[in-house]
Amino acid sequence: YYRDRRLPPGPKRLPFIGNIHQVPQVLPWRTFHQWSKKYGPIMSAQFGRQTIILIADTTIARDLLDKRGSLYSNRPKLVMADDNLVKGMHILLRQYDDRFRLHQRMEAPVLSPRASSTYYPIQDLESKQLLHELLSSNDFSLHLERYSISLLYSLTYGFRVKTGNEQDVEDARRILHNFTYASRVGTWAVDAIPMLNSLPMFLAPWKRIGEELFQIESSLHMRNMNKGLKSRAWNWSKEFSVSKQGQLMPPLELAYDLGILTEAGLETTSTVMKIFILATQSYPRFISVAQREIDHVVGTDRLPTLSDKDNLPYICAVVEETLRWRSIVPGGVPHAARQEDTYMGYRIPKDATIVPLHWSMSLDEHQFDNPLEFRPERWLAGSDNDRFTNFFGYGRRVCTGRHIARNSLFVLVARILWGFDVQPPIGADGKPKTVDDMDFGSAFVSAPAPFEAVFELRNEDARRIIENEWETTEKNLDIIMDSIKEEQKSIGLDLRG
Ligand code: HEM
């Protein structure tokens, strides 16, 4: 079995399957990390016919995926997920072609840093609800998921998700699960042998599975978009449907674009926040440092807001450290090479899959002293360009929701620490329970295994302010969305809807 010696080094491969048998289904990024100790920061492997280039070093990832971004802006072909489940309509799986750029141009105006800052009134409302919920319930997972989905549903469709137990949340979870299921490497014969997908349905049972899942997802996205179009106030469904680009798309393609934006924002933001709560359990020392800063800058008689950001460097460092400490996509989001390339003397073939190993880069001992420790202070020592900071990906495929996401993370972290001490629960033996901070799932977005935490109010003033803020805040989304539209106009953004 021929191995191209110009490829980066990597483990020995078997005929036909290559290295597939060496990659576990459970936490595969930890195996890749072990490989990098042996083969170095750029490696190659073979999955069937697919050449995989694995990158465990920040500078190499930036050199290829950022600096040579145009060469590395495609995605690997996942036949089951792309052709059968989403029928080419998932932006994350699209190749970097004219159609992708059409979608990018349609989304860019509503996702720019300036537009993202105008969405703060929704983040303000939803985070006030979250604080209010934490007064009487420690079910932080539910409250964080509700926050994330309600923010995106408000922006995209003009309606809120008020309890987190609605059918919409269940549907969104199911769709994410289906996508992860269909994208699993090594599960579908058709991903290894794409030709199989031309078999008729009765000989290709996986196509029926794909078709069923497609029906569920497409009807949800269409239903939601139609609600958005009928909503009284401004929202992204309206904005996209009258845009020049949106007019060139059939309704289902438009509905998928909107639906994927909501999906992309749901699991990501809530998982990062669960990791933050996990850090409060494993490394509680940082809590009092953060609270001292908040008390000094904000005081105890009002909630922190987005405009406090520049004066709360420690809180910003807590956000960075949360993103680093446990990446939500530890196995990276793969890109693909659009052309053959040469780097450090190695050949990178056209169509090779390029995987930036976030797990290895975030936990690199050369970059981060004692990397398994949660220590926000490491981000205060001034800017160090060699450190891993690409939490939102690379080049032309960088996360388009990152400005909205960063604002959410800041407001949520600042407000939770302003109001609460996050404590471990007390076990049957009367001692605080400990949590295993390495116990994570193996899905594409890797979340911590369920754990408990207790949200103890810091003082009675905080209760009074949280209750008062929640009672008096504007909750009518139509009014909020119209005010966002006005704000966008006043800062000179070009609105169409
Ligand atoms: C803290 C939360 C989030 C994190 C850590 C995160 C991270 C990422 C990463 C690592 C990628 C892959 C980039 C690459 O391939 O190089 C990505 C892609 C993407 N993200 Fe996010 N994301 C977050 C929140 C959001 C939100 C709130 C939205 C929507 C408003 C969003 C929309 C997207 C989309 C549409 C893509 C696909 C881009 C493409 O393929 O060109 N993300 N995100």
Side-chain angles (χ1 to χ4, degrees), residues 13-63:
R13 48 198 69 184
L14 289 177
F16 304 112
I17 60 169
N19 303 102
I20 289 183
H21 63 297
Q22 292 157 321
V23 181
Q25 292 278 331
V26 177
L27 307 173
W29 41 88
R30 296 196 190 173
T31 300
F32 297 145
H33 190 51
Q34 292 311 316
W35 288 4
S36 73
K37 309 257 180 219
K38 186 164 176 197
Y39 301 107
I42 176 162
M43 305 171 273
S44 70
Q46 197 71 32
F47 290 0
R49 296 182 61 82
Q50 189 61 29
T51 302
I52 317 282
I53 308 290
L54 299 155
I55 303 175
D57 175 89
T58 307
T59 311
I60 299 176
R62 280 208 201 124
D63 280 354

Side-chain angles (χ1 to χ4, degrees), residues 75 91-93 100 104 107 111 152 236 260-261 264-265 268-269 272 323 328-329 333-335 358 391-394 396-402 404-405 409:
R75 294 288 188 202
I91 189 124
L92 188 79
L93 300 183
F100 172 85
Q104 222 180 20
E107 291 179 0
L111 295 170
L152 266 302
W236 291 350
I260 300 305
L261 278 178
T268 46
T269 310
V272 176
L323 290 163
I328 61 162
V329 279
V333 182
H335 289 219
H358 286 208
F391 307 118
F392 291 90
Y394 294 90
R396 299 191 182 183
R397 302 309 293 251
V398 70
C399 171
T400 44
R402 64 196 182 285
I404 295 175
L409 297 178

Side-chain angles (χ1 to χ4, degrees), residues 452-468:
E452 297 167 82
V454 177
F455 290 77
E456 220 158 77
L457 205 60
R458 287 182 68 204
N459 51 57
E460 279 309 307
D461 278 349
R463 179 192 303 281
R464 183 178 49 76
I465 289 166
I466 291 171
E467 281 176 347
N468 187 45

